[in-house]
Amino acid sequence: MAAHFGRLRKGATTTAVAAVAVAALSASQAPGVTTDDLGRQAAGAAQPSGDAKTGGAGGGATGDSPYYTDLPPLKSPNPSPSASPTTGTTVSVGEAEAGIPATVLDAYKKAEAELRASKPGCNLPWQLLAAIGKVESGQARGGQVDASGTTYSPILGPKLDGNGFALIADTDHGAYDGDPAYDRAVGPMQFIPSTWAWAGRDGNGDGKKDPNNVYDAALAAGHYLCRFDRDLSVQSQMNAAILNYNNSTEYLNTVLSWLEYYRKGTHEVPDGTGTLPSHSSNSDPGASPSPTTPATPSTPSTPRTPSTPKPGGAGSTSPTPKPPAPSSPAPSPTPPTPTQTVDHLEDANTGKLTATAGSAFGTKVAVRAESKASKGVSKVRVRFTIIGDTDATFTGGESVATVVTGSAGTATAPALVAGEKTGDFTVRATVVGRVLGGLDYTATVTPRQADTLTRTSDTALTCVPGGEFADQVELKATYKGAVAGKVAATATLIKSADDATENDKGPYFKDADGKTIRTLTDLTTDADGVLKLPKLYADDATGTFLLRVNTTGGAVLTVELKVAAAAS
């Protein structure tokens, strides 16, 4: 949704582009809304119907609010091998409409990079964010943002009061939109407050989630589009994501037009110099005017010197030569961002990474972003990624975490939590937004352990030849006095206290097919540390036999089993 829309221009035009634009402007938006499993408003059917003016609750990220309907030029931008002076990436030159303000473009590309790491299956292209940003706010009013990406003034849509728009009563007490009565769509990507409350993200690492910041808004839009495990490389899923953002077929077509245009080439332009759309899907006469870039004040004119009459010419004058126009000062070079000054990552005294299955690691991964002069660089985003065959995660259950470096240039990853898979895995630290070598850390998950095994009963275990033991062997495992749950164990009927090899006579277990077996593997104590063995049977041999149980961690218990003929 775009803020401060101009009234729909209804005059006839002669170009093919204008004809298409007018056709787009006449299309309707759907008021239909469903509620998702968290009780939030979501877009309705994929085929919207009706008119936005019919009111009703809005859906999607924007509340199905108005949007810019300007279409891209018919002529696509031509690729050029020139490089951006600020990012060093290949850009293209051509149509003015292909220009995207530098900070806004950077926000889209950083959001794509973050989603590529956290949700690689989504395949989000930054050009889709650019297309949505174009139709929602004209790329933040042509790039009217400060160095951190925050708009100089809030971008607000119309009141969603049901009068020509959806009816959405205030949900944020005016915190985001300044309206305590009704919600309005807010910021470069036009989120309504109720959606931003759960979808908002901190894209620039300043510790805040601000819908008026293009880094925050672009990252939030990316995550919003990637919900429900969507793969945006599949056209039908991309269409569904766009309709979920703003439930209108014409909105979908407009976004796809800009997506295709931007995919064929874009170029970076200075902030504040982007082209502004002029057509809105809202034709309400009461709509606010289109956003405008403040005009550059004109240079005061030099007072004209009275002319001197020419000799011999009645009333004729000779013009006074005009002074040369003052030359404009050369633009000052854009200072590098903190991320651009990072030369490498250094370890920041990370200790040994070892934990028992199911427990938290006592050490956290810490790195320091440094310049070529080995000075710490603050306000740099560092991504920590868990790599390998493991079910270990960071606190919160994620396998990827992004942390902003502090004043000393240090970033510390969230605590690691071991899963049930044992063995080694890797934690990799990289700088977000730079192609630099990362740091790899090896982490090890060891099996759960027990150091003590005891029987839960002191009843003698006896049996007659050819019979079965009345009581099952039940044990309890502890480790350093605490319950040792989910500890692996092995039970073997052995020959003697000095010979732990499997016995070939005496008591035995039965396998699933009823066959004799005297060693049980893959045993595990329960959550309370208890291990109850299957029933034991006796063959015809009599005497005292031994059952030995071993656990990971070194706990061992030997149990006596007696087989004797019944007393006559």
Side-chain angles (χ1 to χ4, degrees):
M1 199 218 96
H4 304 299
F5 290 118
R7 280 186 280 179
L8 183 62
R9 294 190 297 187
K10 299 180 180 178
T13 56
T14 58
T15 65
V17 173
V20 175
V22 171
L25 291 176
S26 65
S28 60
Q29 282 181 240
V33 174
T34 60
T35 302
D36 65 12
D37 55 352
L38 295 179
R40 299 186 294 252
Q41 289 179 332
Q47 295 298 327
S49 61
D51 190 283
K53 291 182 175 293
T54 59
T62 70
D64 291 346
S65 299
Y67 54 91
Y68 284 120
T69 56
D70 298 57
L71 293 173
L74 295 177
K75 182 180 179 182
S76 297
N78 297 318
S80 166
S82 61
S84 162
T86 57
T87 63
T89 56
T90 301
V91 298
S92 66
V93 296
E95 296 283 345
E97 287 290 352
I100 300 178
T103 300
V104 179
L105 179 60
D106 185 55
Y108 296 149
K109 291 186 175 181
K110 285 184 176 177
E112 179 200 55
E114 198 279 340
L115 267 299
R116 190 187 304 122
S118 62
K119 295 183 179 180
C122 179
N123 296 303
L124 171 76
W126 67 261
Q127 292 91 340
L128 176 58
L129 296 177
I132 291 176
K134 181 69 174 181
V135 302
E136 293 293 351
S137 68
Q139 310 298 16
R141 291 180 181 150
Q144 295 289 338
V145 296
D146 62 20
S148 68
T150 302
T151 57
Y152 288 121
S153 60
I155 300 177
L156 299 175
K159 292 182 179 181
L160 298 177
D161 57 5
N163 183 21
F165 305 103
L167 175 59
I168 303 180
D170 175 66
T171 61
D172 65 332
H173 304 290
Y176 294 123
D177 55 16
D179 191 328
Y182 300 98
D183 272 352
R184 298 180 176 210
V186 183
M189 305 303 278
Q190 290 290 275
F191 279 93
I192 54 175
S194 57
T195 301
W196 184 261
W198 59 267
R201 294 291 193 279
D202 178 13
N204 63 349
D206 63 357
K208 297 184 295 183
K209 299 176 182 179
D210 182 2
N212 286 301
N213 182 279
V214 70
Y215 288 98
D216 295 359
L219 184 59
H223 278 278
Y224 188 94
L225 294 165
C226 288
R227 293 185 308 156
F228 312 126
D229 295 324
R230 290 190 182 107
D231 179 359
L232 301 186
S233 65
V234 178
Q235 190 61 53
S236 61
Q237 295 190 37
M238 177 182 284
N239 292 354
I242 297 170
L243 286 170
N244 195 222
Y245 204 91
N246 191 317
N247 193 15
S248 161
T249 301
E250 293 307 323
Y251 179 87
L252 169 66
N253 294 336
T254 305
V255 168
L256 291 178
S257 296
W258 282 105
L259 169 62
E260 181 64 20
Y261 181 74
Y262 286 142
R263 275 177 163 166
K264 292 179 179 178
T266 60
H267 61 277
E268 179 182 290
V269 298
D271 289 344
T273 64
T275 58
L276 297 176
S278 57
H279 294 79
S280 164
S281 63
N282 170 37
S283 58
D284 189 339
S288 355
S290 300
T292 57
T293 303
T296 303
S298 57
T299 304
S301 58
T302 304
R304 182 173 295 178
T305 304
S307 57
T308 304
K310 288 185 180 180
S316 63
T317 60
S318 60
T320 302
K322 292 183 180 180
S327 58
S328 300
S332 57
T334 303
T337 65
T339 300
Q340 291 170 332
T341 65
V342 177
D343 180 70
H344 59 277
L345 288 177
E346 284 288 336
D347 176 54
N349 299 318
T350 302
K352 188 176 181 180
L353 298 169
T354 304
T356 303
S359 64
F361 284 72
T363 301
K364 297 179 180 180
V365 178
V367 300
R368 187 169 186 257
E370 295 186 352
S371 64
K372 286 185 178 180
S374 296
K375 292 184 177 180
V377 183
S378 63
K379 298 182 180 179
V380 173
R381 299 174 70 209
V382 176
R383 179 180 295 120
F384 298 94
T385 307
I386 295 175
I387 302 170
D389 183 17
T390 181
D391 53 358
T393 64
F394 292 113
T395 302
E398 298 290 336
S399 60
V400 178
T402 301
V403 180
V404 179
T405 58
S407 58
T410 302
T412 303
L416 285 164
V417 179
E420 295 303 321
K421 289 186 178 180
T422 59
D424 294 343
F425 63 92
T426 299
V427 179
R428 178 167 298 164
T430 55
V431 176
V432 178
R434 288 294 303 278
V435 181
L436 296 173
L439 293 179
D440 284 353
Y441 295 85
T442 299
T444 303
V445 179
T446 59
R448 298 171 186 265
Q449 301 179 40
D451 55 17
T452 304
L453 274 175
T454 57
R455 280 190 66 197
T456 59
S457 169
D458 56 3
T459 303
L461 298 168
T462 61
C463 184
V464 296
E468 65 179 53
F469 287 80
D471 297 309
Q472 291 178 244
V473 178
E474 185 176 271
L475 312 171
K476 186 165 187 177
T478 57
Y479 182 69
K480 295 182 179 181
V483 169
K486 299 183 180 180
V487 176
T490 300
T492 305
L493 293 155
I494 61 176
K495 290 183 178 179
S496 69
D498 299 325
D499 186 354
T501 58
E502 183 180 278
N503 204 347
D504 55 359
K505 61 181 179 180
Y508 61 91
F509 300 105
K510 290 182 180 181
D511 64 12
D513 298 325
K515 296 180 181 178
T516 298
I517 183 173
R518 289 190 168 89
T519 297
L520 297 176
T521 59
D522 297 327
L523 300 173
T524 305
T525 62
D526 64 17
D528 296 323
V530 174
L531 174 63
K532 190 171 185 178
L533 300 181
K535 281 187 176 182
L536 276 164
Y537 302 88
D539 59 13
D540 294 336
T542 58
T544 299
F545 301 90
L546 299 178
L547 167 66
R548 180 163 292 173
V549 181
N550 302 270
T551 70
T552 303
V556 179
L557 179 65
T558 301
V559 181
E560 284 190 352
L561 306 172
K562 292 183 178 181
V563 180
S568 39

